[in-house]
């Protein structure tokens, strides 16, 4: 089993609808492929951690990195892990219209992101925290208007 | 019959047909289409001259002239104002080809006119649009020309055969070549000889593949200097795979290239410098991801930059320090504050060495970056630790000696008192005859007084300094113990001792704070100091109640053990040392015993050589003391 962390930039800002569509597609496909992890999105900044078997994860990363919705995909780490750290696949972002989102499976408000699980090494947990900082900035609490 | 047929045909013709008769030009036959053109209903015999309707004056004029001169005339795309709509809005203009044909009925005399009107509005509008388009094209063309001739770049067009079709005047300006020069011969000659073949080949290759190009080469300027240029061109495709022209631009990039070269050289030099320094040096992106480790980092850690990764340095730190170091780094990245910390870093052989890790932010034209260094301070740190241990030891010995002086002065008080009593008794009962003896008595008296004062002063001095006589107060045993352990942390760390603290049953004790600290310090430091060399020290502290109901403290270790003086009530004497090979002033246990008994309790001890020692402090002997 391996995990991959990358950061990227959306080619153009993703709308609530774009994000919701991505959430639905990824939840469906990732469940089928036994891929878990978390995706952060804010103001065009994207970061994602995915974990799963190397045979599925490497090709998936290839597909994701060629996805036309984002560019400057920078793979920060890809390495073997002993166990998963995420129970499923979820996505954290600030919807412009948060009302419908709270109930969506796999959706998280950035303020509700839990600290990196202790099953990650401290180095990987720090990397995830840095990535979160890079996406949401210092204060993920206050949703900024675009 | 034939006349009728002809009329039918004429009537339904899509063009307007009418006959005008006589010099007054009276309407004869008017077909439906003509009716529609003229708008208002026409009655036969009605004169155009008298009721022209929509027919403008100039057309009337022409009609008359055609009639008089007997020559036909055709007005192309003639604009007839249509009758206004019923609702008063202006109808759109319509255009007609109007033909006027003189009619000669039986002779050479003109007797009337044949009027044709063919609606050509569609054609006319198309023509006008074409005209406007042509004007617009000319305008755009001019604009393009102005632009191509004013931008700093040289622009050019090459055809499919590789012939230069166009080059903007900047080329002549740059190269100093006259406008009469043959581009296709001169241009290749102006390319730097080292670049020429490459440029010609690349251009040729792009042209035959029908794709654009982008390359850099040196071009000779009017002053003979070769300057670096960037040539970029894109094909103009007339069919998906048929490129007919290549349009391109030539940009001078000499300065940028020189600058980039300087930067590259500067960066290479800095990297070389960084790689030569026997210190771990790294850089990180604004987001805090390490993107460069110098060579020494690899040598020290035994890991490549790839293996370390953007956050891998954290995993080099000793496990207990990783979380704190990570938190501090995230804080620095979030706030921009410099980073500094003292950590143990694992070397390739698994040994940890103390390092100071420092990092600072640099913002310049190329954005924000972090520069960090890890300096090995292991030797200094170890030296400091040794000094600290020695200092702690000295401070403790000093304190013990103070306490000893205090207790000794206290202990001497009683014998002194006895001495004075005896002396007074002696003076009372014995008689001195010698006057000199009288003097001696006074001297002894004085000396005893002096001794008393000295003892008092001694006691008072150290008592004040150490707070040994402080009144009893309720103390939390755990927190006092933890304070004492803080002072002993180096010894605890070095020996890897396991301490078990159990104050649950009697958590508080009313006692003098300095006294309690002194007792705990002595017992704990002895337990660590006299640890058995072959096992991890294990020290248990338990506060509980004795059968009598009085509080006791049990301090048990698994150390070397000792031979106890004088059973059944062992008394520790000052300056006796159980294990002469181990440092100490040899007053500690004596003091502990003194303090405990001075506060109304006693110390019990059991020990087995090579197994360990157990002290039981009975804080108070009397019930409810
Ligand atoms: C930022 C980002 C993250 C993505 N993450 C995932 C993912 O975790 N799992 C996944 O299956 N597809 C993910 N995708 C989508 C894939 O790139 C790709 O669009 C999708 O797998 C193609 O599915 P299809 O072949 O069924 O159309 C992601 C796309 C983007 C832009």
């Amino acid at each position: 089993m391996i995990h991959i962390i990358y950061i990227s930039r959306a080619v153009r800002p993703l709308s609530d609808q774009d994000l919701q569509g991505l959430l639905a597609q990824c939840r469906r496909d990732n469940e089928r492929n036994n891929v878990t992890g978390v995706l952060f999105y804010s103001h065009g900044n994207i970061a994602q951690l995915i974990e799963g078997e190397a045979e599925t994860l490497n090709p998936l990363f290839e597909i994701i990195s060629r996805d036309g919705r984002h560019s400057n995909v920078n793979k920060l780490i890809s390495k073997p892990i002993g166990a998963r750290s995420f129970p499923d696949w979820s996505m954290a972002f600030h919807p412009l219209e948060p009302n419908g989102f709270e109930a969506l499976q796999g959706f998280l408000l950035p303020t509700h992101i839990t600290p990196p699980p202790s099953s990650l090494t401290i180095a990987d947990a720090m990397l995830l925290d840095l990535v979160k900082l890079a996406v949401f900035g210092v204060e993920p609490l206050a949703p900024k208007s675009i | 019959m034939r006349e009728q047929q002809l009329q039918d045909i004429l009537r339904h013709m899509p063009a307007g047909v009418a006959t005008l008769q006589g010099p007054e030009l009276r309407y004869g036959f008017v077909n439906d289409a003509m009716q529609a053109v003229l708008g208002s209903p026409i009655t036969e015999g009605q004169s155009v001259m008298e009721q022209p309707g929509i027919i403008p004056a100039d057309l009337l004029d022409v009609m008359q002239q055609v009639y008089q001169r007997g020559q036909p005339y055709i007005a192309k795309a003639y604009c007839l104002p249509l009758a206004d709509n019923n609702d008063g809005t202006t109808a759109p203009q319509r255009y007609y080809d109007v033909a006027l044909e003189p009619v000669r009925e039986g002779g050479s005399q003109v007797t009337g006119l044949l009027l044709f009107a063919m609606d050509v509005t569609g054609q006319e509008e198309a023509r006008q649009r074409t005209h406007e388009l042509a004007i617009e094209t000319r305008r755009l063309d001019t604009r393009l020309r102005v632009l191509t001739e004013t931008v700093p770049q040289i622009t050019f067009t090459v055809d499919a055969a590789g012939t230069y079709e166009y080059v903007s005047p900047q080329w002549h300006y740059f190269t100093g070549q006259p406008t009469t020069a043959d581009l296709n011969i001169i241009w290749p000659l102006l390319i730097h000889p080292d670049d020429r073949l490459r440029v010609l080949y690349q251009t040729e290759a792009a042209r035959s593949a029908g794709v654009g190009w982008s390359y850099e080469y040196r071009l000779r300027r009017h002053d003979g200097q070769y300057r670096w240029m960037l040539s970029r061109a894109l094909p103009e495709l007339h069919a998906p795979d048929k490129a007919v022209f290549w349009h391109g631009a030539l940009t001078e990039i000499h300065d940028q290239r020189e600058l980039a070269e300087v930067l590259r050289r500067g960066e290479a030099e800095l990297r070389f410098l960084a790689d030569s320094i026997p210190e771990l040096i790294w850089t990180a992106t604004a987001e805090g991801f390490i993107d460069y480790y110098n060579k020494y980092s690899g040598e020290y850690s035994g890991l490549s930059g790839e293996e370390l990764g953007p956050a891998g340095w954290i995993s080099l730190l000793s496990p207990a320090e990783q979380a704190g170091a990570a938190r501090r780094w995230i804080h620095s990245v979030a706030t921009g504050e410099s980073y500094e910390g003292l950590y143990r870093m694992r070397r390739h052989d698994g040994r940890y060495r103390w390092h100071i890790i420092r990092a600072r932010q640099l913002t310049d034209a190329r954005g924000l970056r972090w520069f960090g260094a890890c300096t090995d301070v292991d030797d200094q740190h170890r030296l400091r630790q040794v000094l600290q241990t020695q200092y702690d030891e000295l401070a403790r010995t000093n304190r013990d000696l103070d306490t000893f002086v205090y207790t000794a002065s206290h202990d001497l008080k009683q014998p002194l008192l006895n001495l004075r009593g005896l002396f007074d008794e002696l003076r009372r009962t014995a008689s001195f005859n010698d006057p000199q003896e009288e003097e001696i008595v006074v001297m002894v008296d004085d000396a005893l007084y002096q001794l008393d004062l000295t003892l008092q002063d001694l006691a008072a001095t150290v008592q004040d300094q150490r707070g040994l006589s402080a009144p009893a107060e309720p103390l939390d045993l755990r927190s006092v113990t933890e304070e004492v352990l803080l002072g002993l942390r180096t010894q605890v760390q070095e020996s890897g001792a396991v301490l078990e603290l159990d104050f649950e049953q009697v958590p508080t004790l009313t006692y003098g704070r300095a006294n309690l600290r002194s007792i705990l310090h002595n017992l704990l430091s002895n337990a660590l100091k006299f640890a058995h060399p072959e096992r991890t020290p294990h020290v248990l502290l338990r506060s509980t109640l004795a059968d009598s109901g009085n509080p006791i403290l049990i301090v048990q270790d698994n150390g070397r053990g000792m031979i106890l003086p004088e059973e059944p009530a062992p008394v520790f004497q000052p300056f006796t040392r159980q294990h002469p090979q181990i440092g100490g002033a040899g007053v500690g246990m004596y003091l502990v015993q003194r303090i405990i008994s001075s506060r109304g309790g006693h110390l019990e001890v059991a020990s087995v050589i090579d197994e360990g020692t157990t002290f039981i402090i009975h804080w108070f002997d009397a019930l409810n003391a």
Side-chain angles (χ1 to χ4, degrees), chain B residues 325-341:
Chain B
R327 238 177 287 122
R328 193 182 282 200
W329 177 235
I330 290 168
H331 175 79
S332 284
V333 172
T335 59
E337 280 171 27
S338 295
Y339 182 88
E340 177 158 348

Side-chain angles (χ1 to χ4, degrees), chain B residues 56-110:
Chain B
D58 59 346
L59 186 55
L60 286 179
D61 206 37
V62 171
M63 283 176 174
Q64 281 180 310
Q65 292 203 26
V66 170
Y67 185 90
Q68 281 157 17
R69 297 177 50 206
Q71 296 291 327
Y73 181 75
I74 298 174
K76 288 257 173 211
Y78 185 78
C79 176
L80 274 182
L82 276 192
D84 282 357
N85 295 340
N86 292 339
D87 55 11
T89 55
T90 327
Q93 291 190 331
R94 300 206 61 87
Y95 295 88
Y96 296 89
D97 281 353
V98 179
L100 296 165
E101 191 75 33
V103 180
R104 294 180 171 82
E105 249 169 30
S108 57
Q109 186 65 35
V110 175

Side-chain angles (χ1 to χ4, degrees), chain B residues 376-387:
Chain B
D376 189 323
V377 291
D378 199 67
D379 297 339
Q380 293 94 307
H381 194 76
R382 279 180 202 283
L383 186 65
R384 222 192 65 193
Q385 269 186 338
V386 169
L387 289 177

